[in-house]
Amino acid sequence: MAITLNNGFKIPIIGLGVWRMEGKAIRDLVINSIKIGYRHFDCAADYQNEAEVGEALAEAFSTGLVKREELFITTKLWNSDHGHVVEACKDSLKKLQLDYLDLYLVHFPIATRHTGVGTTDSALGEDGVLDIDTTISLETTWHAMEELVSLGLVRSIGISNYDIFLTRDCLAYSKIKPAVNQIETHPYFQRDSLVKFCQKHGICVTAHTPLGGAAANTEWFGTVSCLDDQVLKGLAEKYKKTAAQVALRWGIQRNTVVIPKTSKPERLKENFQVFDFELSEEDMKLINSIDRKYRTNQPAKFWGIDLYA
């Protein structure tokens, strides 16, 4: 149920993503997920809920539900804090009420105008386009990330939303190799070349949006969910599982970490019940055949620029 990272630390192969979760719901979700068996939580400064997650974790520790060392906590550096990496990390640690992070990621390979540590704004210029800071290189940002390991604030560091070009570059200039690249990947957006490149070079791939965003991304981005695909529905029937469980199992059998997000208690349990069956090689290939190269998470909606163009 875990993948060993290139520095020897282990990352649980399934985690809970907390994007777009608010208030009291977070407390209940975190506590319930720990009771179900989740030991991996994927956070980010940009989600604007680190303080609420921190309160839930503190409760879990103080009541003896779980020990800190039993959990794997990830959070991420926001674009506007690339020039303030140490301060941003300390701000996240304070909000999460933690002494260290298991994993800290560069959320996007882009620096934007600084708006104050932890504010996580995406400042737009007068033209309505994201105000990109062209004075801070990703190499500079990465060396500041490496400093976090030296300071004992972070055990592992990684990247997110990096393509092959940027990942290769990071491998070239890094003293501490990225342990993880967190990317959108699911049956409709398989990105096999990127996944294999990372794995070949000792970088663990974490799949954010492993269910293709489902209803949430349909609402935000108008996208189609892979969970409605007839192939996944047919396999769900065959294995007596749900389409979501089949999609998550496919991700796990690719040796990628999956971090599905849900705010529904029944789905929380369902998403974790993926260790009692295995997809055959033929069925893995069948899912491989439905790739549409279809991105569902597209921040251009908010930034006025397609950074993936």
Side-chain angles (χ1 to χ4, degrees):
M1 283 176 64
I3 289 177
T4 302
L5 300 175
N6 57 22
N7 55 10
F9 290 109
K10 293 183 186 297
I11 182 170
I13 204 159
I14 190 165
L16 177 67
V18 300
W19 185 34
R20 287 185 278 189
M21 295 183 188
E22 298 173 5
K24 185 180 182 296
I26 289 180
R27 180 257 167 213
D28 294 343
L29 213 66
V30 170
I31 297 297
N32 288 337
S33 62
I34 291 172
K35 288 177 179 175
I36 288 166
Y38 285 85
R39 293 295 180 265
H40 175 186
F41 294 92
D42 185 80
C43 314
D46 185 53
Y47 302 164
Q48 294 286 307
N49 57 14
E50 287 176 315
E52 289 83 357
V53 172
E55 286 170 15
L57 292 176
E59 180 183 334
F61 300 148
S62 66
T63 58
L65 182 61
V66 73
K67 294 175 183 169
R68 168 64 186 101
E69 58 269 25
E70 294 172 330
L71 294 186
F72 191 100
I73 311 294
T74 301
T75 196
K76 308 179 191 80
L77 173 78
W78 187 239
N79 309 335
S80 55
D81 283 335
H82 276 224
H84 302 78
V85 173
V86 174
E87 302 97 307
C89 181
K90 286 180 176 177
D91 184 66
S92 286
L93 282 168
K94 184 178 178 183
K95 288 171 180 169
L96 288 165
Q97 301 185 43
L98 299 174
D99 296 324
Y100 70 92
L101 293 169
D102 294 281
L103 179 64
Y104 196 47
L105 302 176
V106 179
H107 202 149
F108 280 94
I110 190 87
T112 61
R113 192 203 321 155
H114 183 61
T115 52
V117 170
T119 58
T120 68
D121 282 349
S122 293
L124 305 182
E126 290 179 7
D127 57 359
V129 173
L130 188 67
D131 195 352
I132 295 169
D133 186 337
T134 58
T135 67
I136 304 170
S137 71
L138 291 175
E139 181 174 355
T140 300
T141 300
W142 188 254
H143 291 320
M145 294 284 286
E146 291 172 328
E147 188 186 346
L148 299 174
V149 179
S150 304
L151 292 170
L153 299 175
V154 173
R155 288 186 166 177
S156 303
I157 50 176
I159 52 183
S160 183
N161 300 302
Y162 276 51
D163 62 13
I164 290 177
F165 297 122
L166 294 173
T167 303
R168 188 221 68 90
D169 233 27
C170 190
L171 286 167
Y173 56 64
S174 59
K175 296 188 189 78
I176 299 174
K177 304 297 181 195
V180 168
N181 186 8
Q182 184 178 128
I183 58 169
E184 177 180 348
T185 179
H186 46 79
Y188 274 3
F189 195 39
Q190 298 186 16
R191 312 179 83 181
D192 204 45
S193 293
L194 176 56
V195 171
K196 285 179 175 170
F197 177 84
C198 289
Q199 291 175 339
K200 179 180 179 179
H201 292 280
I203 301 171
C204 171
V205 172
T206 294
H208 75 66
T209 328
L211 303 176
N217 277 12
T218 300
E219 179 190 338
W220 271 38
F221 304 112
T223 50
V224 175
S225 171
C226 63
L227 299 185
D228 295 322
D229 192 278
Q230 290 308 309
V231 166
L232 291 184
K233 284 183 170 180
L235 290 173
E237 207 170 292
K238 174 181 175 179
Y239 288 95
K240 294 182 172 52
K241 290 287 182 178
T242 65
Q245 288 171 324
V246 170
L248 292 173
R249 184 69 208 182
W250 171 81
I252 287 169
Q253 286 182 218
R254 293 175 93 198
N255 288 318
T256 61
V257 174
V258 292
I259 46 170
K261 168 208 166 296
T262 184
S263 53
K264 296 175 179 161
E266 66 276 13
R267 289 270 166 78
L268 198 63
K269 187 175 275 190
E270 176 190 303
N271 288 345
F272 200 75
Q273 292 171 337
V274 288
F275 299 105
D276 57 354
F277 75 110
E278 187 172 334
L279 298 170
S280 69
E281 193 177 329
E282 293 76 21
D283 290 336
M284 286 292 289
K285 286 178 181 173
L286 184 59
I287 297 173
N288 292 349
S289 74
I290 68 171
D291 189 11
R292 294 187 180 186
K293 296 182 168 49
Y294 184 68
R295 183 186 301 279
T296 68
N297 187 315
Q298 181 47 278
K301 175 181 176 180
F302 312 107
W303 294 347
I305 184 173
D306 180 4
L307 293 179
Y308 299 114

